[in-house]
Every structure is written in C-alpha cells, then in structure tokens.
Amino acid sequence: EKGGWPSFMAKEVSEGPEAVANTLRGRLTDHGVDLGELGVLDDEALRGIDRIVIVACGTAAYSGLVGKYAIETWSRVPVEVDLAHEFRYRDPVLDERTLVISISQSGETMDTKMAVEHAAAAGARTLSICNTQGATIPRQSEAVLYTHAGPEVAVASTKAFLAQVIGQLLFGLHLAKVRGTMTDEAIAEVVEELRELPDELRQVLAEQESVHELAHWMSDTRSVLFLGRHVGYPVAMEGALKLKEISYIHAEGFAGGELKHGPIALIEPGQVVFVVVPSPRNQALLHSKIISNIQEIRARGARVIAVAEAGDAAVLPYADVVLRVPLTLPMLEPVLQVVPLHIFALELATAKGLDVDQPRNLAKSVTVE
Ligand code: F6R
C-alpha cells in the first residue's frame, strides 16, 4: 500500500535510495564487482562477444542509453541501443558474438520479449536486466541480473530507472574486468562512488522544496524542453517522457549539440528549458559546451532551470533556477540528476489535479504490440 504517501509514484520516488542499495547488495566486493549469477555468460563467453545491443522500450530504453556510454567506455565493446520494436522488425545483424541485453522493469513487455526471442533465434547471446522475479523475459534469456528495486505500481517508472542504470554499471565494470580494459584501481574508484549513491540520493530527496514551488509556478505551462549532453542526454529525454506521461504537457528532450540543427527554432521568450549540466570538475569540456548552449537559448529569451552539481558556481550567472545534486563520477551522474526531473513531473501533475498513478491511455505493463 501507499504507506502514508499521496500516490504510489510519490512513494516509489522516495524509495530510490533503497532501490539502488538493493541493486548493489551482494554484488560489490572490497574493490570490485561479483556477478557470479551470470551463469552460462561466464568469463569465457564474455570474452567471446564483440558487440552489444541493448533492447528496451520507453524509460528502460533511456536507461539503456546511459548504460551504453558506461559499458562502451569501460569495456571498449561497441554498444548500440535499439527500441525493441524497431530492432525486431528491421532484420538486425546478429550472430553468436553479439550480446543482446534486454532491459525491462516488468519483464513482460511484448515488444521487448519479441526482440529477445528474435535475438535468441538468430544465435545471439542474451542477458536480461529485469525487476520482476521469474517474469517471462528473464526466463527466456540465458542469464539475468535482477534489479531488486521492489515492486513498482505507478504507471510512470521512477525507482526502476535508477536500478536499471545501476544494473548496467555493474555489468560494465564486470565486463571491463573480464576483458582487462580497466585497471583494478579504476574499478575500485567507481565501486567507492557506487557505495555513496544511496546516501547522495537521500540528500537529493531532502532538498526538493524548490521543485515543488517551481511546479506550482509552472502549472499553466504548455511546453517544456529538456537539454543534455553525454549521459545527460538520456536524462533529458527521460525528464521529458515523465512530464508528458503524467502531466500531459508537451515535452521534448534534446542533445545539446543538436540545438542549432533544428530545435533552437522552438525557443521563444518565456520557453522553459531544463538543462542537465555535467560536473565542471570532471567534465570540464562538456560543461563549457553546455554553458554555451545555455547562453544560446537565454539570448532568445528562454528561462533556464539547471540541474547541476553542488559545487558548480560557474552555472549560476546563466540559469534562472539551479537544482543541486551531489558530486559523483560522470557515469553515475544520471542516477542523481534524474530525481529532480521525476519529482518535477510528479509535482506538476499533482498541481494540475491529475491522477499521477494512472495517467490516461497508459498501462503499467504493455503486454500487447
Ligand atoms: C515510462 C514507462 C514506460 C516503460 C516501458 C517499458 O515511465 O513506464 O515507458 O518504461 O513501457 O516497460 P518495462 O520496463 O516494464 O519493459
């Protein structure tokens, strides 16, 4: 039940820290990662793959885009992300050296299930990252990493997204270790930062009063844009998806570098743009690029709400509002940055008097094509 929360979504957002802790539990060793549960996808099998395709839908696919950056950077195995339904119907190139990773909260999404079946029939290796024990997709995959985020009841996926990202980060570290592409020290550094995430998430959750005010101030808004680069790009798309799903406001997420290739035409005075800002401390170049993007849209009258790292003073002159998250490693930033966006969608839908748990036209588990 809701346990005193006004909605399942509010409850599930508040459970983010526990979800992440549960995904990590039993899988971190002193300085590394232990994924003995991968069974037949053992070290030898993982050394035999030369390509990874992540298949998923909606929020799970956005988590897959975050996973792509991390797995590819760490393991040097090329990774692509495909929407499961697009993958299934385009005759993808697959062989026994391809690992197809499906990501699904429910484990019952028909589009994703069919993509996995197609991959297996073509001889590809299959791994499921799933939140629901014993669901169909993990049962038809060779190996499974359960996210253990706990049941998610609200139609809009929140804590499961965090857990999906964590599951992929763990797999990426494991693959990097197996293939010798990361030093033990580098792996240990990420492991240290992963351990900090639950507490950092609690901090983010404790500091959301400004999001509440923002949502009330914006309850008549007709369109919101989201901008990000690198792993902030999927965060931007996830923020937009959540907003359109539960508040029925037109929202779109863009990669910062795409702005001048089209989307900047949408910017007019008063347009609100959320910008996901990478930490200047460990992503200086990307940070300067996103600041340029902010300057371009501000010059055209946009109002900028930045999601930025706590110590980032450089963003202040450029943003109308700054939502703060603690400093972490670049690949881990999405887990913290997405939370204010989830809360913003929740607060805005609530301010509009909508049923956040049961948005119109949507079902929690899409078991038809
Ligand atoms: C968004 C949302 C959907 C699901 C998508 C995949 O908030 O809930 O986009 O993420 O339908 O569902 P699963 O993960 O169950 O395969």
Side-chain angles (χ1 to χ4, degrees):
E1 267 310 299
K2 292 182 205 162
W5 292 92
S7 63
F8 280 107
M9 187 180 172
K11 173 173 181 272
E12 288 157 11
V13 166
S14 81
E15 290 168 344
E18 288 70 39
V20 167
N22 288 339
T23 311
L24 294 172
R25 182 158 300 124
R27 289 165 170 158
L28 298 182
T29 61
D30 279 351
H31 306 289
V33 164
D34 179 3
L35 297 184
E37 63 208 274
L38 291 180
V40 296
L41 284 183
D42 57 13
D43 294 3
E44 197 190 329
L46 292 178
R47 277 190 285 266
I49 61 159
D50 61 11
R51 179 171 158 252
I52 293 173
V53 184
I54 296 174
V55 295
C57 302
T59 285
Y62 295 145
S63 87
L65 275 171
V66 177
K68 170 193 159 81
Y69 284 83
I71 297 170
E72 195 169 89
T73 302
W74 291 341
S75 74
R76 308 314 298 157
V77 177
V79 182
E80 56 187 292
V81 182
D82 220 340
L83 295 169
H85 33 91
E86 287 297 316
F87 171 86
R88 170 65 186 85
Y89 292 111
R90 74 176 168 84
D91 192 16
V93 177
L94 293 167
D95 59 27
E96 70 289 346
R97 298 178 71 82
T98 309
L99 173 65
V100 173
I101 305 179
S102 60
I103 304 176
S104 177
Q105 189 287 128
S106 63
E108 302 294 345
T109 300
M110 180 60 81
D111 291 308
T112 309
K113 172 173 133 57
M114 288 182 64
V116 173
E117 279 171 9
H118 185 74
R125 311 303 307 259
T126 54
L127 167 66
S128 155
I129 295 182
C130 182
N131 195 44
T132 310
Q133 209 84 24
T136 307
I137 295 170
R139 278 194 281 115
Q140 66 185 20
S141 302
E142 284 183 270
V144 54
L145 267 183
Y146 282 110
T147 45
H148 303 303
E152 199 179 60
V153 177
V155 163
S157 188
T158 54
K159 64 176 179 175
F161 173 86
L162 310 183
Q164 286 159 352
V165 171
I166 298 294
Q168 293 172 89
L169 296 179
L170 290 172
F171 179 74
L173 290 176
H174 176 70
L175 191 61
K177 171 76 181 167
V178 169
R179 298 176 71 100
T181 49
M182 237 173 137
T183 63
D184 288 346
E185 293 70 39
I187 291 175
E189 188 195 357
V190 181
V191 166
E192 278 316 296
E193 293 289 333
L194 284 171
R195 285 189 209 283
E196 305 287 326
L197 275 181
D199 275 340
E200 289 166 351
L201 276 167
R202 279 181 202 105
Q203 235 173 290
V204 175
L205 288 170
E207 290 166 13
Q208 294 308 319
E209 197 44 42
S210 47
V211 180
H212 181 78
E213 287 162 23
L214 203 61
H216 277 263
W217 164 70
M218 282 178 62
S219 59
D220 291 332
T221 302
R222 312 246 333 239
S223 158
V224 181
L225 304 180
F226 294 77
L227 215 65
R229 281 175 180 260
H230 194 263
V231 287
Y233 167 42
V235 172
M237 291 194 288
E238 164 64 4
L241 176 62
K242 214 93 314 170
L243 195 61
K244 64 183 89 148
E245 268 186 302
I246 63 167
S247 74
Y248 317 144
I249 290 173
H250 175 258
E252 277 195 73
F254 301 108
E258 272 299 286
L259 252 190
K260 59 179 148 315
H261 300 289
I264 200 162
L266 288 173
I267 306 293
E268 55 188 14
Q271 172 71 52
V272 172
V273 185
F274 277 79
V275 183
V276 182
V277 182
S279 165
R281 280 187 258 187
N282 42 31
Q283 303 239 71
L285 180 62
L286 276 178
H287 185 271
S288 69
K289 296 279 173 202
I290 211 95
I291 293 289
S292 308
N293 289 146
I294 294 178
Q295 287 173 304
E296 285 155 10
I297 57 177
R298 279 289 289 280
R300 289 161 179 84
R303 287 200 273 191
V304 169
I305 301 167
V307 179
E309 183 243 300
D312 181 356
V315 76
L316 278 173
Y318 303 102
D320 296 277
V321 179
V322 183
L323 306 173
R324 296 293 188 182
V325 297
L327 174 67
T328 187
L329 293 175
M331 299 301 180
L332 281 54
E333 280 180 350
V335 174
L336 302 176
Q337 290 164 336
V338 81
V339 172
L341 303 186
H342 283 168
I343 295 175
F344 177 71
L346 172 66
E347 295 277 357
L348 193 55
T350 305
K352 289 179 74 171
L354 298 169
D355 179 347
V356 298
D357 287 339
Q358 296 286 347
R360 68 187 181 201
N361 309 340
L362 291 169
K364 179 64 181 163
S365 181
V366 186
T367 53
V368 292
E369 265 196 272

